[in-house]
Amino acid sequence: MDKGRILKSVGTVGSFTALSRFLGLARDVLMAGFFGTSLVMDAFVVAFTVPNLFRRLFGEGALSSAFVPVLVETRQKEGDPAAWKLVNRVLVLLAAVLTLITLAVILFAVLVPVQSEKAVQVLGLLKIMMPYMVFICLAAVSMGILNSFHHFAVSAFAPAILNILWISTVLFVVPNIGTSPEEKIRAVAWAVLLAGFLQWAVQWPMLYKLGWRMNRVQAQPAKVGKILRLMGPAALGMAVLQLNVVIDRTLALWVGGGAPSALFFSERLIYFPLGIIATALGTVLLPTFSGQAKDPEKMSETVSDSLRHLLFVMIPASVGLLVLATPVVQMIFEWKNFGTSSTWMTAIALQAYAPGLVVFSLAKVFVPAFYGMQDTRTPVRVGMIAVVLNLVLNITFVLTLPQAVKHAGLAFATVLSSVFNMSCLALILQHRLGGIGWKAVAATAARSFGAAALMGVAVWFVYGLFPNLGKIGQVIAVAVSIGIGGAAYLIASLLFRAPELREFVRTFRR
């Protein structure tokens, strides 16, 4: 895939991802209004973390990173029939393993004796949502299969199904079921489970069109063994990383009521721009890098171009969220049970996360580059060190920061450890490829930071001109500030002669 086709594919994935993110934002607004930063919302956030842990391990993470390069290689050398046989074998093995894990976790949740009300709430929701892990992992692997065939639209749309069903449940089921928050949040948990199955099922027609048939599964020990060997290090790294996420959420539950919810809502705002551009780019880059694995010069060019495009978009997004953190949280989430204290907790966490938006996005380039070369060990080794650093920083900030901002310390620890992680990967990749074109990347970063600084001043000044006129006034003030800030960034980019702007415009015209 050349630069233009990559950007076009990113546009396709990004468009559907944007739809999903907008729906997700609406979903989070409804959850904030109905549940706020209450105990049941804290319990839901922690319980939902567990199936998501396995989703990132077996779905989007270790398995996909090992499976897609082998699938691409099989198609190139042996043709599509051999590739589909490999697909069936992997899907059957994955379903069997995930089902056993699900049953074990549910059995643990049923038998473990707990006294704390927080633990009772978490385990009760976990028993409902754990089977979601089976379906969402199969859906994620199916996405990887479609992406390896360079079909991105259907798999990019699938996550929107979760948000559509979630929104419908909160709007039409939650107000009419039960009388307690515990009963209402369980309805949301059941909706999550159903949505997991639907996200997998919606991809079946396109898989069938491309040639997938669930025929008799044939053992392919050599290819499956290769996938497992590639997956092993990545699985270990992802397991440690996701364990760290669970520890983060548990620490947040310990530091004070509402902290897990505040981190959840602030993360949703960070993932909004991250998902539209960075995740879309990472989705396209994995099969692209897999095809370029034997051409370091071409891969180096793709890495350099991808970094430039990400920096051009993510630097202003980071600055914008940093400047408008409180107004944005207030405008989006503050209603019904989400009061001023919830707004403050979420906004301070968002400001701690905002600088990391740039760093988080770089992972969507560096990690797929290693996976495309079928090297799953290097990101794991570096990631494990970063996880230990993150844990040390978490404990340090929890013990030293004032009570009111301990949860923001957890967010900032994630940013600092990600800076270390991406810096190490960048240096190693530079050595592997013999160069990445850092001069062009640095020039883009300098131009984007300069333009974003001017944008930040414009946004801060314009928002200060608006009086507080209620919810409608907040929407107008934020919208006008973002509009003028965006215009300021584009004008500054034109004055700085940013080539990325021309490349985006050229792609959109095509």
Side-chain angles (χ1 to χ4, degrees), residues 5 71 75 80 83-84 87 144-151 210:
R5 192 177 174 192
L71 180 61
R75 286 190 66 210
D80 287 355
W84 289 119
V87 165
I145 297 167
L146 292 177
N147 294 343
S148 70
F149 281 81
H150 299 301
H151 285 271
L210 292 173

Side-chain angles (χ1 to χ4, degrees), residues 38 50 68 106-107 158 182 306 355 385 421 452 484 501:
S38 61
V50 178
V68 170
I106 292 176
L107 185 63
E182 291 79 9
S306 301
I385 299 173
N421 191 19
I484 293 178
L501 185 58

Side-chain angles (χ1 to χ4, degrees), residues 2-12 309 503-504 507:
D2 59 21
K3 177 164 56 179
R5 192 177 174 192
I6 289 174
L7 282 177
K8 184 178 179 181
S9 298
V10 170
T12 300
H309 296 144
E503 290 167 2
F504 275 115
T507 300

Side-chain angles (χ1 to χ4, degrees), residues 55 58-60 63-64 67 91 94-95 98 131-147 154-159 161-162 194-204 207:
R55 172 178 65 84
F58 290 106
E60 300 169 352
L63 179 56
S64 289
F67 175 52
L91 288 177
L94 179 63
L98 294 178
Y132 165 82
M133 180 263 292
V134 178
F135 300 124
I136 199 60
C137 288
L138 291 171
V141 171
S142 298
M143 291 178 189
I145 297 167
L146 292 177
N147 294 343
V154 174
S155 57
F157 169 74
I161 295 174
L162 171 66
L194 176 59
F197 171 76
L198 294 177
Q199 286 183 79
W200 181 36
V202 77
Q203 299 179 76
W204 295 348
L207 288 169

Side-chain angles (χ1 to χ4, degrees), residues 47-168:
F48 197 33
T49 301
V50 178
N52 274 327
L53 182 156
F54 289 99
R55 172 178 65 84
R56 294 187 176 109
L57 177 61
F58 290 106
E60 300 169 352
L63 179 56
S64 289
S65 63
F67 175 52
V68 170
V70 175
L71 180 61
V72 170
E73 183 181 62
T74 302
R75 286 190 66 210
Q76 291 174 342
K77 293 182 178 180
E78 303 177 40
D80 287 355
W84 289 119
K85 292 178 182 178
L86 177 62
V87 165
N88 285 340
R89 182 61 175 166
V90 169
L91 288 177
V92 169
L93 284 175
L94 179 63
V97 172
L98 294 178
T99 300
L100 290 175
I101 293 174
T102 298
L103 293 174
V105 173
I106 292 176
L107 185 63
F108 170 81
V110 170
L111 297 179
V112 64
V114 292
Q115 303 294 330
S116 167
E117 184 180 355
K118 291 180 180 179
V120 170
Q121 294 286 343
V122 171
L123 293 178
L125 293 169
L126 180 60
K127 287 185 288 187
I128 298 173
M129 289 191 288
M130 194 61 204
Y132 165 82
M133 180 263 292
V134 178
F135 300 124
I136 199 60
C137 288
L138 291 171
V141 171
S142 298
M143 291 178 189
I145 297 167
L146 292 177
N147 294 343
S148 70
F149 281 81
H150 299 301
H151 285 271
F152 299 100
V154 174
S155 57
F157 169 74
I161 295 174
L162 171 66
N163 294 324
I164 292 171
L165 190 58
W166 196 326
I167 289 170
S168 302

Side-chain angles (χ1 to χ4, degrees), residues 435-452:
I436 292 180
W438 290 115
K439 186 176 179 180
V441 174
T444 296
R447 285 191 298 264
S448 297
F449 273 117

